Amino acid sequence: MRFIKRFYNYYFAPNKGLAKRLKPLLGYTPTNLKLYVQAFAHKSSHSQKLSGSHNNERLEYLGDAVLGTIVAEYLFKKYPNKDEGFLTKMRSKIVKRKTLDTVGENMGLDAFLGEFNATRLSRSMMGNAVEALVGAVYLERGYNKTKYFVINKMLRLYVNVIALETFDDNYKSQLLEWCQKNGKIVSYKTVSKYKMDKRDRFKVAVYINDEKIATADDFNKKSAEQHASLKALKILKIYNNNHTT
Amino acid sequence: MRFIKRFYNYYFAPNKGLAKRLKPLLGYTPTNLKLYVQAFAHKSSHSQKLSGSHNNERLEYLGDAVLGTIVAEYLFKKYPNKDEGFLTKMRSKIVKRKTLDTVGENMGLDAFLGEFNATRLSRSMMGNAVEALVGAVYLERGYNKTKYFVINKMLRLYVNVIALETFDDNYKSQLLEWCQKNGKIVSYKTVSKYKMDKRDRFKVAVYINDEKIATADDFNKKSAEQHASLKALKILKIYNNNHTT
């Protein structure tokens, strides 16, 4: 009997404090802890603690959809006079990987991910965990309570929606605008074209007043130019990424 | 007073029967009719009846998200042992334009679209109207009742989910499979490459046993081959598109 108890404690005690630690994050005390353990279990993990339960990919799939709808409705009501194009663009700025990674970081999800995974944490695991967590909350609490959680415990705390309105991820046009304001001339040159994974790949350089500022590679010239422009904006210290708080 | 009444009847009488006619479609009698009129108002419409109200694009944006989540959850629960890849693929088969167009057609939305639009109806307006209608239902009835509507009044009636499981829209691999079964050899040739809207465009021909079966054009060879393969499948009468009922 003592052995069973010790066995039980060894395997399940780590989750005992989990409900308490999740409470400030969620705004309520979760009861179906299995769901939350699963939300933090990355597919790459081979942690003993998770044997028997699934990883978080199915929850991520569900949470991605639920989060998208909650954000869609939030924007629909926040901007009653904006058209569908504006709303769609705003939504993708909020639910994109990079924003969610920062949200997950600010929520302190790395501590939970560290606990339930044996592998090294990567930044993109944060955004995945945010989605999986939304999926877990949805399964336990339903749509309306998940909406409350997403809006009050994520959006309002960690996403600067107003800053996102003017946030522009067309780096090429940002760089062009800056150059025009400052009387400089920007130009792009294809430095080389090569093969990678049997596909054409381009190395592009961005020049300002004939001075090479940065280079970048991608599978098409347009994306390579965008990457190079972003690098240039950072080098020139004119890049302002203030959409997460 | 009589004038006002006549004016009122002239402009609003068409909607008087609307609630009654929508009931069998929705499963309940809608009260906020303005929402439903808006759901059927295509942006291209210049119908007098709609002056002052918005077109259906905002509702379509909202309904698209809500429908996506409902379908995501439906599949999540229907297939408890399937991975996220399968679920994502199934979801996109259900919510893709072509499926929704057929659903809208089967729901008889063309009658409503014809009533509230002065322009000629196109097939893609059906799918848009399905999404906008889901948006309207959501705003009037909330998430859970919309879920009931989507599952019982749309999915179960007009989408053959089981058939979609095996539905494969990789026409090239379907054609290859058929040829291998029947001891035939399939091959593709690029017939010509030309410019359209400043972009390269390819004409591709598909051959079976050196006999040219079909040709198709697109901006890349891969899609042109897919289109040509679909044409060939139809010509050979081996194309089976039975995912809507």
Side-chain angles (χ1 to χ4, degrees), chain B:
Chain B
M1 199 55 204
R2 189 180 292 171
F3 171 74
I4 291 173
K5 202 173 169 189
R6 206 180 292 161
F7 176 86
Y8 177 85
N9 277 341
Y10 182 78
Y11 282 98
F12 297 101
N15 300 350
K16 261 171 71 183
L18 184 62
K20 226 181 206 167
R21 281 179 293 136
L22 279 171
K23 199 190 164 186
L25 216 69
L26 301 171
Y28 62 90
T29 307
T31 51
N32 189 352
L33 287 180
K34 229 180 93 187
L35 276 174
Y36 299 86
V37 172
Q38 195 182 324
F40 296 122
H42 194 258
K43 66 172 171 203
S44 66
S45 175
H46 301 287
S47 164
Q48 273 287 327
K49 291 176 201 167
L50 299 168
S51 60
S53 79
H54 294 92
N55 64 49
N56 67 359
E57 284 193 309
R58 274 173 54 92
L59 282 177
E60 201 186 308
Y61 149 88
L62 184 65
D64 165 71
V66 172
L67 180 64
T69 297
I70 291 169
V71 172
E73 184 186 0
Y74 174 78
L75 296 170
F76 183 91
K77 291 181 171 163
K78 187 178 174 73
Y79 300 102
N81 298 313
K82 292 285 191 178
D83 70 11
E84 159 269 347
F86 171 87
L87 298 173
T88 302
K89 226 179 256 172
M90 279 297 288
R91 183 166 81 134
S92 65
K93 285 179 191 174
I94 294 176
V95 300
K96 75 177 182 185
R97 182 70 22 212
K98 224 176 127 180
T99 309
L100 294 186
D101 286 341
T102 310
V103 168
E105 212 169 24
N106 288 336
M107 289 175 85
L109 297 191
D110 46 346
F112 296 97
L113 281 167
E115 185 173 342
F116 295 104
N117 293 282
T119 48
R120 215 162 62 93
L121 302 186
S122 72
R123 222 182 121 69
S124 76
M125 282 167 73
M126 299 291 173
N128 292 345
V130 168
E131 290 174 341
L133 188 63
V134 172
V137 172
Y138 177 74
L139 288 178
E140 191 178 55
R141 312 267 295 178
Y143 187 79
N144 289 325
K145 284 178 179 162
T146 307
K147 188 156 86 181
Y148 183 87
F149 160 68
V150 167
I151 292 174
N152 294 293
K153 294 290 178 176
M154 285 174 44
L155 287 189
R156 294 221 167 112
L157 293 182
Y158 306 118
V159 182
N160 190 340
V161 176
I162 302 302
L164 278 177
E165 274 182 44
T166 51
F167 175 73
D168 179 6
D169 58 1
N170 186 345
Y171 305 118
K172 203 177 156 181
S173 74
Q174 280 181 61
L175 187 61
L176 178 66
E177 202 183 315
W178 181 84
C179 286
Q180 283 172 340
K181 258 189 209 158
N182 292 278
K184 293 179 193 292
I185 292 161
V186 60
S187 61
Y188 295 85
K189 275 176 201 157
T190 306
V191 179
S192 62
K193 181 181 160 185
Y194 56 99
K195 289 275 179 187
M196 191 189 220
D197 300 335
K198 290 186 187 165
R199 293 166 66 193
D200 287 335
R201 201 170 160 91
F202 303 88
K203 184 188 249 349
V204 161
V206 54
Y207 291 78
I208 292 179
N209 284 357
D210 292 326
E211 185 194 345
K212 192 200 273 189
I213 306 292
T215 63
D217 300 61
D218 210 329
F219 290 108
N220 64 69
K221 281 186 201 172
K222 213 174 144 185
S223 321
E225 285 176 4
Q226 284 289 345
H227 292 314
S229 304
L230 176 58
K231 280 188 189 174
L233 288 168
K234 284 179 177 170
I235 288 165
L236 299 165
K237 300 197 195 310
I238 46 178
Y239 174 62
N240 187 12
N241 179 17
N242 63 347
H243 58 291
T244 43
T245 51

Side-chain angles (χ1 to χ4, degrees), chain A residues 163-179:
Chain A
L164 278 177
E165 274 182 42
T166 51
F167 176 72
D168 179 7
D169 59 1
N170 186 343
Y171 306 119
K172 201 176 159 184
S173 73
Q174 281 182 60
L175 187 60
L176 178 67
E177 201 183 316
W178 181 83
C179 287

Side-chain angles (χ1 to χ4, degrees), chain A residues 93-104 159 243-244:
Chain A
K93 285 178 191 177
I94 294 176
V95 300
K96 74 177 180 184
R97 183 69 23 214
K98 222 176 128 180
T99 309
L100 294 187
D101 285 342
T102 311
V103 168
V159 182
H243 58 290
T244 42

Side-chain angles (χ1 to χ4, degrees), chain A residues 7 19 39 47 54 112 117 144 169 180 189 208 215 220 234:
Chain A
F7 177 87
S47 164
H54 294 92
F112 297 97
N117 293 282
N144 289 325
D169 59 1
Q180 283 172 338
K189 274 175 202 156
I208 292 179
T215 63
N220 65 66
K234 284 179 175 171

